[in-house]
Amino acid sequence: MNYTRINTIGGWLCFCIAAITYILTLDQSVSFWDCGEFISSAYRMEVVHQPGAPIVSMIQKMFSLLSFGDKTKVAYFMNIASALASAGTILFLFWTITALAKKILVKSGEDMTKQQIISIIGSGLVGALAYAFSDSFWFSAVEAEVYAMSSLCSAVVLWGILKWESQADEPKSDRWLLFVAYIMGLSIGVHILNLLTIPALIFVYYFKKNPSPTWQGIVKVSFVAIAALASVQFGIIQYVVSFAAGFDYFFVNTLNLGFGTGILVFAILVIGGLVYGIRYSIRKNKRALNLILLFTVLLLFGYSSFALLVIRAQAKPNLNNYNVDNIFSFSRYLGRDQYGDRPLFYGENYNSEKIDIKETGKIFRKGDKKYEPAGTKSAYVFADKTLMPRMYSDKPEHVRFYKNYMGFDDQHKPTLLENLQYMFSFQAGQMYMRYFMWNFAGRKNNEDGQLGGTDGTWLSGIKPVDAMRLGSQKNLPPSITENKAYNRFFFLPLIIGLIGAVWHFKRNQKDAGVIGLLFFSTGIAIVLYLNSVPVEPRERDYAYVGSFYAFAIWIGLGVLGLKDWVFKKLTPARAGIFASVVAMFCAPIIMANQGWDDHDRSDSHDARDMSVNYLKSCAPNAILFTYGDNDTYPVWYAQEVENIRPDVRVVNLSLFTADWYIDGMRKKQNESAPLPITLKPEQYVEGTRDIMYYQDYKIAQHIELKEILDVLLSDNDADKVTMNDGTKYNVLPTKNLKLAVSPQQVLDTGTVPKEDAGKIADSMEWTFNQNYVTKGTLALFDILVHNNWERPIYFTGAMPDEQYIGLNQYLYSEGLNKRLLPLKPDTAITEDYQRINLKPLYNNLMNVYAYGNIKNANHLDRQSSDDVTRISNMFNSALNDLINQGKIAESKKMVNKFLEVIPDKFYSMRQVMSTYYFTESLYRLNDLNRANAMIKKTADYVNKELNYLADVSESKNQLAAEQDVRFYLAYLGQMVKLTGVFKQDGLSKSLEKEYNDLIARFTPYATG
């Protein structure tokens, strides 16, 4: 048997299995989160958010050409790029596992036996396919994100260093080291996670060059590895550009030369120095120096892909994050300045007292002829600090979480031990080990589990074991058993991996240590370095896939452990076959079987349809204010790629605070005219009016917004407040604002239909809801003042309430968006959701909106589940108003539409609430049969959920999931009343009995 040929075929077999799997389960269009931004930017060669991904953009652009002009297929083919990159990762993982296994089983110079080939290939197949079907990796493999290509780079780098190791004694072996350097340089243009392989690579080199390593040597190499990682991450990625910026500042501001002169001189010095160093190392035969210099050259060569961003920024594309058209903005872009700093080894707690502010650096921007000051970087000085601060954020939602999670009172200051306890319990436990167990033990559901509790937790499927953690598992409810992410692996992949790890350490401590280091540096080390805050917008398991990759290597080597320890009495060949088959069923097969349905996005197009809905429900030439990622990025995709409603101007409020973003809003984009912004660049340029605080001037009446805008933009010292350091700042003198309304103008522009002319307010009066004004809010004020109702204004309905700047009583829901309308406030409306614009809402729900196949799609992640609830609530609001107005025919049509598009199954407790209100509308329409059927279905779901929680409460002898229990009991009680009101006495009594029985079960555990 020719091992080389079999090994090649085995690798490509894994590639084909993975590629077919990912293509079959691929998202057919845009996905949620960053995918819409990456697809849009790649399609038009634009600039994505920090710190950029130019290699990804170029590759995705190339794949987009396969659409042959069909814009609806662009996203699909970019998703194909991720699928093939992910399959490539599996290919190189297979070859990595077989290389490690061969190194242990086959001594140098020996011929391979048949049984050795069987064992080695079996190891590769099991480990590679286990990773192919792992939860976190599979999720990223079927969407146009950076993590698929990042994983491929890491896989190629690790395989490359093993290729070098196997040929290290040959004359030209160093070419593999240079290959690794170039791939790492390219990977910087994908994602910097790849850099975490550097320590493992250095140890492979050290162990090869030192067959008998010492502990002292290992310690020294550890410091070298850390220094090398820091040199690349900071020295090459950031400081090279920072030094170039310093050079250019000197040449421009001191020597009065043109922009870029200093950069050119710096580049000549760097290139000249590297060339000289390489020539010197060759002349003096300094091999180590030569390798280091060549490594640096190839890293820089790969890193040069970022020139794409600077080039494209000069073209001022629609998506031009940070406007990196000059060296200073480029430096801050690469430094991820917009994300702020987090304390690592020493710093403040969340309630440390702020006693001063210190300057930490200066900010410069590009002026007309010179670089100009744009403010300073500053940091608070705290009265007390601690080692290893893990609970440091003073944002209210984070402070609440820290105190609830740790049981602190308002006065308590966390100690070092408490910070470490939080780190191990929450950051490492809840936010890493939970993800690890998702992948190799099993998963309960796809609910967000960041806040603790049992939702989103791992679950093995072995009921006695799960019961020890989660309580009784004897009557699992639909929220678990019918959830697509209810994956039970019974610990089998984990056990195989642990067997592989133990076997590896017993047979080759050096290689096992390298894989262990890779496992640590791409897992727990990330936890330590990121020092993440709680309550992130989404689960972050994708950040740790490198760690899961390392563990998959041990799953593969678990075949050899099974062969040696479980099947040792069989002949070697049979033992290899049995071990491979058993491990195949225990890991990849069960993982594929359990994971297919919750990773199959082939029949879901929720993100694409929702983004189109946002745009199509806007009036012509509208301004649409968005906020979150899922409100914005898919909408960008719909406009930039599919050219849907190019007349609508999308304004992301979270970016509106940046001068470069305001610049873009002042230009024409697609078919949208510039926004009515009168601000001059010098009034909002970086470092100017970044934030203006509210200072109460005791003004009782509402002040015209135009006057407030003039005060905020005034350069008159009389309109400013003097700070302690003598500087003067504009302030907001009152929160009581108003905007005069011309009824005729509102009617002429079609903002309000003529039949509603009597509802038009003389002026809009509201109270601003924040304690400061950012330049984004300033620009929003400018738009409100100068728009003159010529362009319809919308806000998306899912953004945080503070983003509506207090205008809630003038925002009317027309579906996914809320439209700003100058109508007299309706005093009968007590809740924002009751404020609707019925006519367009009805039309949107019945005739305009597409629903992403949410009724039948296999893939229902948390965002899709939220969309089900949002759409249900829109129907309920419209139905309630239609019935109140006596429009029974339209109401019945809307009922049928609801039943046509909304899933029959319940996917969350939120859906129970929306279904209850829909059922109430059915009763009001005298549709008793469907109403009773809906009540029975809802009550059955609630009953199963509550009985399960009662079982758990009894097993733990304490009330489980109190909030859920109270929610479900409240709605079950409401169903009793609802059926009673509409004279469904038999059903009402049956529900009342269920309610009372459940109350009796929970009463012993109630706390009051």
Side-chain angles (χ1 to χ4, degrees):
M1 300 177 92
N2 186 314
Y3 169 76
T4 301
R5 180 179 299 173
I6 294 172
N7 188 45
T8 302
I9 293 173
W12 284 106
L13 175 64
C14 287
F15 174 89
C16 291
I17 292 172
I20 291 170
T21 297
Y22 301 146
I23 291 172
L24 288 176
T25 58
L26 201 69
D27 202 317
Q28 304 297 295
S29 186
V30 66
S31 304
F32 286 115
W33 302 107
D34 295 350
C35 300
E37 182 194 14
F38 283 119
I39 294 171
S40 303
S41 297
Y43 183 67
R44 290 195 171 187
M45 285 286 100
E46 297 171 326
V47 183
V48 300
H49 65 270
Q50 295 174 313
I55 293 294
V56 175
S57 293
M58 287 187 273
I59 292 174
Q60 288 180 335
K61 175 63 177 179
M62 182 175 65
F63 271 84
S64 75
L65 301 178
L66 298 174
S67 66
F68 293 104
D70 184 351
K71 294 179 179 180
T72 64
K73 294 296 183 182
V74 167
Y76 174 78
F77 283 105
M78 289 192 186
N79 292 340
I80 290 283
S82 288
L84 295 181
S86 299
T89 303
I90 303 307
L91 168 72
F92 286 100
L93 174 57
F94 174 89
W95 286 336
T96 297
I97 295 172
T98 56
L100 291 168
K102 178 186 174 186
K103 183 179 176 183
I104 296 172
L105 296 184
V106 183
K107 294 181 180 179
S108 179
E110 285 186 350
D111 291 331
M112 296 183 67
T113 64
K114 178 180 177 181
Q115 62 91 4
Q116 288 175 329
I117 293 175
I118 291 172
S119 299
I120 292 170
I121 298 300
S123 297
L125 289 171
V126 169
L129 293 178
Y131 189 61
F133 298 121
S134 62
D135 180 60
S136 299
F137 183 72
W138 195 345
F139 186 90
S140 296
V142 293
E143 63 180 18
E145 253 279 14
V146 300
Y147 300 104
M149 295 183 195
S150 175
S151 294
L152 176 59
C153 290
S154 298
V156 173
V157 162
L158 187 59
W159 171 80
I161 198 66
L162 292 178
K163 288 292 288 184
W164 168 83
E165 184 189 33
S166 67
Q167 301 176 18
D169 298 328
E170 298 178 8
K172 297 183 178 181
S173 62
D174 286 350
R175 60 184 177 171
W176 286 106
L177 294 176
L178 302 181
F179 169 76
V180 165
Y182 182 58
I183 296 298
M184 292 194 73
L186 289 177
S187 77
I188 298 170
V190 177
H191 197 283
I192 60 173
L193 279 176
N194 180 262
L195 300 181
L196 295 174
T197 60
I198 288 176
L201 305 185
I202 289 175
F203 269 96
V204 170
Y205 186 90
Y206 171 70
F207 288 142
K208 183 64 180 179
K209 295 299 182 181
N210 296 272
S212 301
T214 63
W215 281 110
Q216 295 90 333
I218 290 174
V219 171
K220 290 179 182 178
V221 173
S222 296
F223 284 108
V224 170
I226 294 172
L229 177 58
S231 297
V232 176
Q233 183 170 351
F234 299 107
I236 291 180
I237 295 179
Q238 293 183 27
Y239 292 150
V240 165
V241 178
S242 296
F243 286 138
F247 265 74
D248 211 42
Y249 181 88
F250 174 76
F251 276 79
V252 173
N253 284 44
T254 303
L255 302 182
N256 295 318
L257 297 175
F259 290 111
T261 307
I263 300 172
L264 180 61
V265 172
F266 178 77
I268 292 171
L269 291 175
V270 169
I271 295 170
L274 289 170
V275 170
Y276 175 81
I278 292 170
R279 289 171 60 86
Y280 173 82
S281 66
I282 293 172
R283 288 201 314 270
K284 301 296 183 179
N285 198 27
K286 294 184 179 293
R287 185 169 176 270
L289 176 62
N290 182 259
L291 273 177
I292 291 172
L293 291 173
L294 288 174
F295 209 96
T296 302
V297 167
L298 289 169
L299 274 173
L300 287 170
F301 194 60
Y303 182 38
S304 66
S305 63
F306 276 84
L308 171 73
L309 304 184
V310 179
I311 293 168
R312 291 302 299 155
Q314 301 288 346
K316 307 301 179 190
N318 291 346
L319 307 183
N320 187 22
N321 281 268
Y322 230 76
N323 189 22
V324 290
D325 65 349
N326 68 87
I327 193 66
F328 279 99
S329 62
F330 186 48
S331 176
R332 293 196 299 278
Y333 178 87
L334 295 173
R336 302 164 63 92
D337 278 16
Q338 75 181 56
Y339 301 118
D341 295 323
R342 296 174 179 181
L344 190 56
F345 297 114
Y346 185 68
E348 70 279 2
N349 284 313
Y350 64 85
N351 54 358
S352 295
E353 182 186 357
K354 299 170 183 174
I355 57 176
D356 199 3
I357 297 177
K358 64 178 180 180
E359 182 179 320
T360 59
K362 296 185 182 297
I363 300 173
F364 294 95
R365 60 173 178 252
K366 184 181 179 182
D368 292 334
K369 295 182 179 180
K370 293 181 181 293
Y371 290 111
E372 301 171 348
T376 59
K377 295 181 181 180
S378 60
Y380 286 110
V381 177
F382 294 91
D384 56 283
K385 292 187 176 183
T386 183
L387 290 171
M388 298 298 291
R390 304 293 106 175
M391 295 177 281
Y392 58 90
S393 173
D394 61 358
K395 289 186 177 180
E397 64 269 26
H398 298 156
V399 173
R400 285 193 297 269
F401 180 86
Y402 296 143
K403 292 194 292 190
N404 290 338
Y405 189 83
M406 299 296 292
F408 294 157
D409 58 34
D410 291 341
Q411 285 71 43
H412 184 83
K413 288 187 177 291
T415 63
L416 168 61
L417 289 178
E418 287 167 338
N419 272 290
L420 292 176
Q421 179 188 349
Y422 174 79
M423 180 183 74
F424 287 115
S425 174
F426 182 76
Q427 290 181 322
Q430 187 70 8
M431 300 304 290
Y432 171 73
M433 282 306 301
R434 180 169 59 97
Y435 298 148
F436 178 80
M437 298 298 277
W438 276 4
N439 283 271
F440 304 113
R443 186 173 178 179
K444 178 181 175 181
N445 55 30
N446 59 10
E447 290 293 308
D448 194 319
Q450 295 185 77
L451 300 182
T454 61
D455 268 340
T457 190
W458 65 270
L459 176 145
S460 70
I462 302 175
K463 291 192 175 183
V465 176
D466 295 332
M468 293 173 64
R469 295 177 52 247
L470 307 174
S472 173
Q473 299 288 293
K474 64 182 180 182
N475 293 306
L476 295 178
S479 63
I480 297 177
T481 59
E482 294 180 6
N483 191 287
K484 301 296 184 182
Y486 177 46
N487 298 333
R488 292 143 292 161
F489 302 151
F490 309 104
F491 293 114
L492 294 175
L494 178 64
I495 292 169
I496 298 298
L498 292 175
I499 290 172
V502 173
W503 182 89
H504 202 194
F505 274 100
K506 281 180 173 291
R507 297 296 296 271
N508 189 322
Q509 290 186 355
K510 296 176 187 176
D511 284 357
V514 168
I515 301 305
L517 178 60
L518 180 67
F519 178 80
F520 174 81
S521 63
T522 54
I524 296 298
I526 296 179
V527 173
L528 298 174
Y529 177 74
L530 291 181
N531 195 10
S532 299
V533 295
V535 202
E536 294 272 20
R538 62 184 291 200
E539 298 277 23
R540 300 296 192 188
D541 56 301
Y542 54 81
Y544 306 108
V545 291
S547 178
F548 309 151
Y549 181 94
F551 192 77
I553 292 175
W554 282 331
I555 290 178
L557 297 180
V559 171
L560 304 180
L562 288 175
K563 172 180 172 290
D564 286 356
W565 298 334
V566 178
F567 300 107
K568 60 183 178 181
K569 293 185 177 180
L570 300 177
T571 63
R574 288 186 176 181
I577 293 172
F578 273 86
S580 299
V581 171
V582 168
M584 188 69 72
F585 276 94
C586 288
I589 289 178
I590 193 173
M591 293 166 75
N593 175 263
Q594 292 286 302
W596 190 282
D597 58 355
D598 55 303
H599 293 92
D600 183 7
R601 309 191 200 183
S602 60
D603 58 358
S604 173
H605 36 90
D606 183 33
R608 191 266 177 192
D609 281 1
M610 296 306 286
S611 64
V612 173
N613 291 344
Y614 275 122
L615 294 169
K616 285 192 173 181
S617 55
C618 290
N621 202 33
I623 301 169
L624 173 61
F625 291 103
T626 67
Y627 184 74
D629 292 358
N630 289 338
D631 271 1
T632 306
Y633 295 156
V635 177
W636 281 354
Y637 158 81
Q639 277 198 326
E640 297 294 293
V641 178
E642 294 197 27
N643 200 37
I644 294 170
R645 290 301 304 275
D647 60 302
V648 175
R649 177 59 65 97
V650 178
V651 185
N652 184 293
L653 290 173
S654 56
L655 296 177
F656 213 25
T657 56
D659 58 350
W660 55 265
Y661 192 74
I662 297 175
D663 286 340
M665 294 299 104
R666 297 175 71 236
K667 299 189 309 176
K668 179 180 179 181
Q669 290 185 3
N670 302 321
E671 295 176 16
S672 168
L675 290 183
I677 296 175
T678 63
L679 297 175
K680 300 174 183 177
E682 59 269 20
Q683 292 176 316
Y684 64 83
V685 72
E686 184 178 20
T688 303
R689 295 183 175 84
D690 290 332
I691 190 165
M692 292 161 284
Y693 289 97
Y694 164 66
Q695 185 161 330
D696 190 359
Y697 276 58
K698 307 299 182 183
I699 302 172
Q701 71 273 24
H702 288 78
I703 303 299
E704 188 64 43
L705 187 58
K706 175 68 169 65
E707 296 179 31
I708 296 296
L709 186 64
D710 290 341
V711 170
L712 292 173
L713 293 175
S714 175
D715 291 323
N716 190 335
D717 287 348
D719 294 322
K720 299 181 180 181
V721 170
T722 304
M723 309 301 286
N724 292 334
D725 61 359
T727 56
K728 297 180 182 292
Y729 287 92
N730 297 88
V731 295
L732 177 68
T734 180
K735 292 185 179 183
N736 298 322
L737 310 176
K738 74 175 182 179
L739 186 65
V741 177
S742 166
Q744 190 59 49
Q745 189 177 45
V746 169
L747 293 171
D748 290 345
T749 57
T751 304
V752 176
K754 291 182 179 179
E755 60 266 27
D756 291 333
K759 298 179 181 180
I760 298 174
D762 293 330
S763 67
M764 294 167 48
E765 297 183 352
W766 74 98
T767 301
F768 184 62
N769 61 0
Q770 298 179 46
N771 290 320
Y772 56 86
V773 173
T774 66
K775 67 178 62 176
T777 312
L778 187 66
L780 177 53
F781 285 170
D782 195 10
I783 291 170
L784 292 175
V785 168
H786 296 103
N787 184 50
N788 297 320
W789 303 103
E790 292 174 1
R791 299 178 71 166
I793 293 178
Y794 295 85
F795 292 78
T796 59
M799 66 175 62
D801 187 70
E802 63 268 16
Q803 297 301 319
Y804 298 131
I805 65 171
L807 286 167
N808 302 57
Q809 63 184 333
Y810 301 104
L811 293 173
Y812 289 77
S813 173
E814 296 185 356
L816 292 170
N817 302 327
K818 296 182 177 185
R819 185 168 181 177
L820 183 67
L821 294 174
L823 303 179
K824 298 172 184 175
D826 187 345
T827 56
I829 294 176
T830 58
E831 300 290 342
D832 286 343
Y833 70 82
Q834 299 172 323
R835 193 175 294 105
I836 67 173
N837 195 7
L838 182 58
K839 186 175 180 181
L841 174 58
Y842 180 86
N843 182 57
N844 287 333
L845 291 173
M846 296 297 294
N847 305 313
V848 176
Y849 285 175
Y851 294 95
N853 197 26
I854 57 174
K855 186 178 183 71
N856 304 307
N858 269 343
H859 180 71
L860 268 170
D861 59 9
R862 174 62 188 272
Q863 180 63 42
S864 300
S865 177
D866 286 346
D867 285 343
V868 170
T869 305
R870 290 173 66 194
I871 293 168
S872 299
N873 291 340
M874 292 175 209
F875 273 102
N876 286 327
S877 296
L879 269 173
N880 184 61
D881 262 32
L882 286 169
I883 295 171
N884 288 343
Q885 295 180 24
K887 299 179 178 179
I888 304 304
E890 290 90 337
S891 299
K892 290 181 177 180
K893 289 180 182 178
M894 182 157 280
V895 164
N896 292 333
K897 188 71 172 182
F898 179 100
L899 296 173
E900 175 190 331
V901 302
I902 299 299
D904 296 323
K905 292 181 180 180
F906 291 98
Y907 288 97
S908 68
M909 60 191 293
R910 300 178 298 278
Q911 202 175 339
V912 170
M913 178 173 61
S914 61
T915 302
Y916 168 81
Y917 290 110
F918 176 72
T919 307
E920 183 179 26
S921 294
L922 289 177
Y923 277 125
R924 293 177 67 190
L925 290 169
N926 202 34
D927 193 344
L928 300 182
N929 290 333
R930 288 201 291 194
N932 288 338
M934 189 72 76
I935 279 283
K936 290 176 183 177
K937 184 180 78 168
T938 308
D940 179 64
Y941 178 88
V942 169
N943 189 281
K944 289 176 181 177
E945 295 293 323
L946 285 171
N947 274 296
Y948 166 70
L949 293 175
D951 291 342
V952 174
S953 299
E954 290 169 0
S955 66
K956 290 188 168 186
N957 198 32
Q958 65 181 38
L959 186 60
E962 180 176 354
Q963 185 176 351
D964 291 1
V965 170
R966 292 185 181 279
F967 175 90
Y968 283 130
L969 282 174
Y971 273 93
L972 188 57
Q974 288 290 99
M975 285 184 251
V976 173
K977 294 178 182 178
L978 182 64
T979 50
V981 167
F982 287 95
K983 311 301 182 185
Q984 305 303 299
D985 297 332
L987 180 56
S988 183
K989 289 179 180 178
S990 173
L991 293 173
E992 186 174 15
K993 182 180 183 306
E994 290 180 10
Y995 178 80
N996 291 332
D997 290 345
L998 287 163
I999 287 288
R1001 292 195 69 185
F1002 285 110
T1003 298
Y1005 314 103
T1007 57

